Amino acid sequence: MKFAIIGGTGLIGSRVVENLNAAGHQAVPHSLSTGVDIITGQGLETAVAGADVVVNLTNSPTFDDASLAFFRTSMDNLLAASRKGGVGHFVILSIVGVDQVPDLDYYRAKVLQEEILKAGPIPYSIVRATQFMEFMDATLSMTADGDTIRLPRTPIQPIAAADVSGVVAEVAAGSPVNGIVNIAGPDVYPLDELGRLTLTAKGDGRRVVTDDTAGMFAAAHGDVLTAPKGARIAPTRYTDWLS
């Protein structure tokens, strides 16, 4: 099968390309660096022409309300080009619980992306993942102030990017589910505890202060960011990944 991997040079995309090619498929990465611009449409029709499957792994450059316009424009352009190119399956990567955190602009933008895909002309699959282990450093930096990091007790179920990529590649190579596949890591941690565990493992002397109003994850209430019933549980544990 031929795959057009939009955002195929990034953290997840590069691994998806590698996995699909290793399985004997033809997966081609596309991004701004390869001359494909999903906002202006430059190079897009050529990128998806003849592809059996398009996998969209691009991300908004910001997490504010501008992300809504990014996902609307990019999805409209991608779906139009994919329909013209005869694509039979369209895959996106989203976030577990994304539709249950309406106070976050970025999460609302990802919900919009899902809705545009569902209403579009192409059979689809949506892979929703929990928070990537690789993003923990960025999460810590968001609320860092000197030697103190403030984090809420929001339950988080981190997943390794390698595990996410494997599932995305598997779903992309299969038949469209016309629905959602949820994936999560094997362990749940309160975010403040996860922060302390991370700092200790890295020999970082900063301290975590529990603050249920701090950072973007404070907007997620209850267990909405953890695996829902029926989710696939990935094998990599955060403690093993850290080591």
Side-chain angles (χ1 to χ4, degrees):
M1 296 172 66
K2 183 178 179 181
F3 296 79
I5 313 300
I6 313 299
T9 58
L11 174 68
I12 302 297
S14 59
R15 289 174 167 90
V16 171
V17 169
E18 183 179 336
N19 289 342
L20 288 169
N21 285 333
H25 300 293
Q26 180 187 358
V28 182
H30 302 284
S31 65
L32 276 173
S33 64
T34 69
V36 175
D37 189 326
I38 59 174
I39 299 301
T40 67
Q42 179 183 350
L44 197 50
E45 288 189 2
T46 300
V48 304
D52 299 295
V53 184
V54 167
V55 183
N56 179 19
L57 300 169
T58 58
N59 205 1
S60 168
T62 69
F63 293 120
D64 57 19
D65 59 1
S67 58
L68 287 154
F70 172 87
F71 285 116
R72 182 181 296 281
T73 300
S74 61
M75 286 298 291
D76 286 347
N77 288 341
L78 279 163
L79 288 171
S82 296
R83 184 178 187 180
K84 184 175 181 179
V87 172
H89 187 190
F90 198 110
V91 181
I92 63 169
L93 178 60
S94 191
I95 307 165
V96 164
V98 70
D99 52 347
Q100 299 180 61
V101 194
D103 292 339
L104 286 180
D105 290 332
Y106 179 71
Y107 276 44
R108 287 192 293 109
K110 289 295 288 184
V111 170
L112 174 64
Q113 183 189 33
E114 291 187 2
E115 290 174 346
I116 292 171
L117 180 59
K118 291 175 184 177
I122 302 172
Y124 69 91
S125 301
I126 298 169
V127 178
R128 285 185 177 180
T130 51
Q131 280 64 44
F132 300 164
M133 296 176 184
E134 284 79 359
F135 289 172
M136 192 59 199
D137 285 345
T139 300
L140 294 173
S141 68
M142 287 179 186
T143 56
D145 183 11
D147 291 334
T148 300
I149 299 170
R150 298 187 178 277
L151 294 174
R153 290 172 289 185
T154 306
I156 299 291
Q157 195 164 347
I159 187 170
D163 291 339
V164 175
S165 304
V167 174
V168 170
E170 178 187 330
V171 169
S175 299
V177 300
N178 292 314
I180 296 168
V181 176
N182 288 292
I183 56 173
D187 301 308
V188 178
Y189 300 89
L191 183 56
D192 57 343
E193 179 184 324
L194 191 62
R196 294 185 185 99
L197 180 65
T198 304
L199 295 178
T200 298
K202 294 177 177 291
D204 190 321
R206 291 178 295 174
R207 69 187 185 100
V208 171
V209 173
T210 302
D211 181 349
D212 287 330
T213 67
M216 64 181 291
F217 292 113
H221 304 295
D223 296 328
V224 298
L225 301 183
T226 62
K229 184 177 180 180
R232 296 178 55 168
I233 303 301
T236 306
R237 296 187 178 279
Y238 188 65
T239 49
D240 293 335
W241 180 85
L242 272 177
S243 63

